[in-house]
Amino acid sequence: MEGDPTYSFLDIHFSRFLAARSGLSGKEKKLFYDLVVRLSAAMSDGHSCLPVSKDERDLLFTTDLASESGQTPLIVYNYNLYLNRYFHYESRLAGQIRKMAGVSFEKGEKGDQLLDDYFGRDKHEIDWQKRAAAMALEKELTIISGGPGTGKTYTVLKILAILLQAIDSKLHIGLAAPTGKAAMRLQLAIGGSLDALICPEEIRSSLPKEAMTLHRLLGVRKNSPQFRHNSDNPMSWDVVVVDEASMVDLALMSKLVDALKPGSRLVLLGDKDQLASVESGAVLSDCIESLPDNTVELRKTYRFDSGIRGLAESINVGDMSRVWSMLQDKNITSISLKNSGFYAFTGEHYARYMEKINRVKDVGLRQIFSAFTNFQVLCSVHYGERGVAGINRGVEFYLAGKGYQCKPDSWYAGRPVLVTRNDYNLGLYNGDIGICIPDPADKKLKVWFEKKDGGFKSYLPYRLPGCVTAFAMTIHKSQGSEFEEVLVVLPREDNRILCRELLYTAVTRAKKCVRIVAEKNVMELCLSRRIQRHSGLAEQLRSSN
């Protein structure tokens, strides 16, 4: 097993290190090593623990390295094996979340009247947005789940207005999201909805106008995994709203809840059918599963046409027959298969974008960014002809053939880049998209980024943190983004990363049009799988006192 390519060098050497200190020998030492290397690999795959059998549990307890809840490197709890740190993240989070979930308030006649004022009186069908608002008024913890276009952001804006009127117009409200890109989208969505909100001017002026990353909300400490705010130094917010909560991993959610001041309210927004966090855990889905009395699912879609909506729903239930039929239906113009000529198709899209780059003085930065976000290639893998690297290189060669100076691995006018590492000093975050454009003032190539206030900021390329070309990006990196049209590219052969959640996330990034590049057998394999994250959080939530 030590030579198994499934395991990384870190998995192997960490497991050898513990096995050498286990006090075991022979077959038992080998079994112990196997358990630890599987746990280490499981953590890399996003699981927070590894299920174990009774015999494996008994073996672990024969060493001084495992206990049920102590300070040992390994913890075995409810037949799940954990690394110590992640067990304590999970158990502490479970206790805190369960406690918050049990706190209720009386909304009273004023609350009922406010709900009617903002959502109208109840009709024959259930108004799920109104139900979510009622829950936020009555509960310390509210979880709002819903796919793209179900009105989560506008619902939250109304919720905040109601809380300000019902409780105190001076409530201190924090808006946050896991990434800079998602925070910017949340801020723009909130700002864009304010004009349509009918409320007293005092309340309008008290509504939050800025969203920030969770890291900024918690207070980043340089060169430390710990934050400035924690249980000993809680945040000042009376209400915290977290968008794109499906992207929040176990460790970050634990630190967030730990830093809430006593009595503050938490509202989590997310799509339970999207990809789970890149790091360990599946916190949002575990909370939704275990806390139905604190969860509302928004079910009415306002954004998509019937084609994209129907495709997303069919992917979500794994209905291969309907998915394939819809993609081949010429009457559904918003979705289609694009297996032939997709390289030229992609190149032509970006050639039209590059035309605007050459006319930047005439069209302006806003039109350049709009032209780029009109279309995006989303890949499931990094490498190969259908991976991010291969398609980015192919687009650059295509554009070079059209006369553009698109030399791979160099800076050129029109090069789009995706930031891969946070730089808090520059205010750039993992997932931010910038475009390389000559500065009209001095003709130097600079990389421009949209700001939350609608303006732009620029940096010389050498000042940027890590970044990659972004004509194509991974589906994971696209979370929290929206595009007018997406081209979703699956590999020619099966890959273990393929699953329903991946394809659903890709398809729901599009507002108007989805094209998919995929062989039927690969699509079938993709739809046959669901993400199964090993986690004990749901069980601990149900059993916490």
Side-chain angles (χ1 to χ4, degrees):
M1 182 171 285
E2 292 194 22
D4 192 324
T6 302
Y7 303 115
S8 68
F9 283 114
L10 178 61
D11 298 333
I12 291 167
H13 288 289
F14 173 68
S15 305
R16 285 176 177 171
F17 177 83
L18 287 189
R21 288 154 180 78
S22 66
L24 302 173
S25 60
K27 182 180 178 181
E28 290 184 334
K29 182 178 179 180
K30 179 66 165 56
L31 290 172
F32 178 88
Y33 168 87
D34 288 349
L35 284 171
V36 178
V37 79
R38 284 164 50 205
L39 172 62
S40 183
M43 296 295 296
S44 299
D45 286 339
H47 306 287
S48 61
C49 59
L50 178 74
V52 294
S53 67
K54 182 180 183 304
D55 289 344
E56 290 169 334
R57 181 176 181 271
D58 292 344
L59 170 66
L60 289 160
F61 282 146
T62 63
T63 77
D64 293 331
L65 301 177
S67 64
E68 282 194 295
S69 60
Q71 296 305 310
T72 52
L74 303 174
I75 301 292
V76 186
Y77 185 83
N78 287 342
Y79 291 95
N80 287 321
L81 175 62
Y82 295 84
L83 293 178
N84 182 290
R85 180 192 303 175
Y86 286 89
F87 169 74
H88 288 290
Y89 282 147
E90 190 174 278
S91 58
R92 185 169 177 81
L93 177 63
Q96 291 170 315
I97 286 284
R98 190 63 180 170
K99 184 178 178 182
M100 290 186 73
V103 177
S104 298
F105 309 97
E106 288 290 335
K107 67 178 186 292
E109 290 184 11
K110 183 177 182 181
D112 285 328
Q113 184 58 54
L114 286 168
L115 290 168
D116 287 344
D117 290 345
Y118 280 92
F119 293 94
R121 292 191 175 275
D122 293 336
K123 299 175 183 176
H124 297 297
E125 63 179 21
I126 296 174
D127 185 337
W128 295 105
Q129 293 184 349
K130 185 176 182 180
R131 183 161 291 190
M135 182 175 288
L137 198 55
E138 295 178 294
K139 301 279 189 178
E140 195 167 89
L141 172 68
T142 301
I143 304 167
I144 303 174
S145 176
T150 52
K152 294 190 295 293
T153 305
Y154 193 49
T155 301
V156 163
L157 190 60
K158 289 184 176 182
I159 286 172
L160 298 181
I162 289 170
L163 291 176
L164 287 165
Q165 282 186 256
I167 302 171
D168 186 348
S169 63
K170 303 302 181 185
L171 281 177
H172 198 198
I173 300 170
L175 301 178
T179 66
K181 182 167 53 180
M184 183 168 72
R185 263 197 62 213
L186 174 61
Q187 181 170 313
L188 292 174
I190 290 288
S193 300
L194 272 174
D195 289 343
L197 185 69
I198 300 173
C199 67
E201 193 53 42
E202 179 190 12
I203 298 304
R204 187 186 303 278
S205 63
S206 297
L207 286 165
K209 309 298 189 296
E210 180 186 10
M212 62 190 82
T213 64
L214 281 171
H215 287 75
R216 184 179 162 204
L217 186 84
L218 289 165
V220 173
R221 295 172 62 185
K222 195 172 182 179
N223 300 322
S224 172
Q226 304 304 317
F227 294 104
R228 186 160 48 87
H229 292 294
N230 51 41
S231 57
D232 295 324
N233 180 33
M235 300 181 294
S236 62
W237 312 104
D238 300 304
V239 181
V240 173
V241 177
V242 180
D243 196 15
E244 298 289 353
S246 64
M247 298 169 65
V248 184
D249 62 80
L250 174 63
L252 186 56
M253 187 67 82
S254 180
K255 291 173 183 178
L256 170 68
V257 175
D258 208 33
L260 294 173
K261 74 176 184 180
S264 60
R265 300 182 192 226
L266 178 63
V267 179
L268 300 177
L269 307 176
D271 184 347
K272 64 181 177 59
D273 298 316
Q274 270 192 192
L275 285 166
S277 60
V278 174
E279 302 297 332
S280 63
V283 177
L284 182 69
S285 59
D286 283 343
C287 289
I288 289 171
E289 175 192 340
S290 307
L291 303 171
D293 292 341
N294 296 79
T295 301
V296 172
E297 181 178 359
L298 305 184
R299 304 176 188 184
K300 186 174 180 179
T301 302
Y302 299 91
R303 181 200 305 163
F304 298 137
D305 69 5
S306 58
I308 297 177
R309 182 172 66 248
L311 181 63
E313 289 170 352
S314 300
I315 289 168
N316 197 30
V317 296
D319 189 341
M320 174 61 188
S321 176
R322 184 159 185 254
V323 166
W324 201 250
S325 174
M326 290 184 71
L327 288 172
Q328 294 178 309
D329 190 338
K330 302 299 183 184
N331 293 317
I332 309 177
T333 57
S334 58
I335 60 175
S336 67
L337 278 174
K338 192 69 181 174
N339 281 356
S340 61
F342 81 88
Y343 278 109
F345 174 80
T346 302
E348 279 303 309
H349 265 281
Y350 286 124
R352 291 194 290 272
Y353 151 76
M354 291 296 285
E355 288 174 10
K356 288 185 170 58
I357 293 291
N358 284 347
R359 297 187 295 113
V360 63
K361 283 187 177 180
D362 300 322
V363 302
L365 288 173
R366 186 158 308 287
Q367 281 199 43
I368 295 289
F369 274 81
S370 177
F372 181 74
T373 57
N374 274 343
F375 175 78
Q376 183 64 54
V377 182
L378 302 179
C379 303
S380 57
V381 296
H382 283 279
Y383 304 108
E385 64 170 340
R386 291 192 182 179
V388 169
I391 291 178
N392 276 325
R393 188 61 57 94
V395 169
E396 288 176 323
F397 283 138
Y398 185 93
L399 294 175
K402 293 283 187 179
Y404 297 103
Q405 302 301 309
C406 301
K407 186 178 179 181
D409 302 320
S410 69
W411 290 101
Y412 53 82
R415 181 189 177 192
V417 294
L418 180 79
V419 174
T420 59
R421 181 167 51 83
N422 294 336
D423 188 320
Y424 297 101
N425 292 324
L426 295 181
L428 294 176
Y429 303 96
N430 187 1
D432 286 352
I433 292 177
I435 298 176
C436 186
I437 302 171
D439 191 325
D442 56 18
K443 309 301 182 185
K444 288 183 179 179
L445 283 177
K446 293 182 181 177
V447 184
W448 299 77
F449 293 85
E450 286 187 279
K451 296 195 296 185
K452 293 178 186 175
D453 63 4
F456 297 89
K457 54 186 175 182
S458 66
Y459 303 91
L460 291 168
Y462 73 84
R463 294 194 63 204
L464 296 181
C467 58
V468 294
T469 303
F471 289 114
M473 68 174 69
T474 62
I475 296 167
H476 279 87
K477 287 292 186 184
S478 74
Q479 285 183 272
S481 297
E482 288 180 343
F483 307 96
E484 295 296 307
E485 177 179 353
V486 298
L487 178 70
V488 183
V489 184
L490 301 187
R492 290 187 184 278
E493 298 177 348
D494 187 26
N495 186 292
R496 66 177 188 152
I497 198 173
L498 297 177
C499 61
R500 290 182 208 172
E501 291 86 352
L502 188 80
L503 190 56
Y504 172 88
T505 300
V507 165
T508 54
R509 297 312 90 205
K511 291 194 284 187
K512 294 183 178 178
C513 189
V514 175
R515 311 290 179 221
I516 297 181
V517 179
E519 276 69 39
K520 187 174 183 179
N521 65 315
V522 173
M523 175 75 78
E524 196 162 15
L525 288 167
C526 182
L527 295 184
S528 69
R529 300 188 186 118
R530 300 218 70 156
I531 291 176
Q532 297 293 329
R533 284 274 173 98
H534 297 311
S535 164
L537 180 60
E539 188 175 0
Q540 290 205 53
L541 280 170
R542 289 191 290 266
S543 62
S544 294
N545 295 319

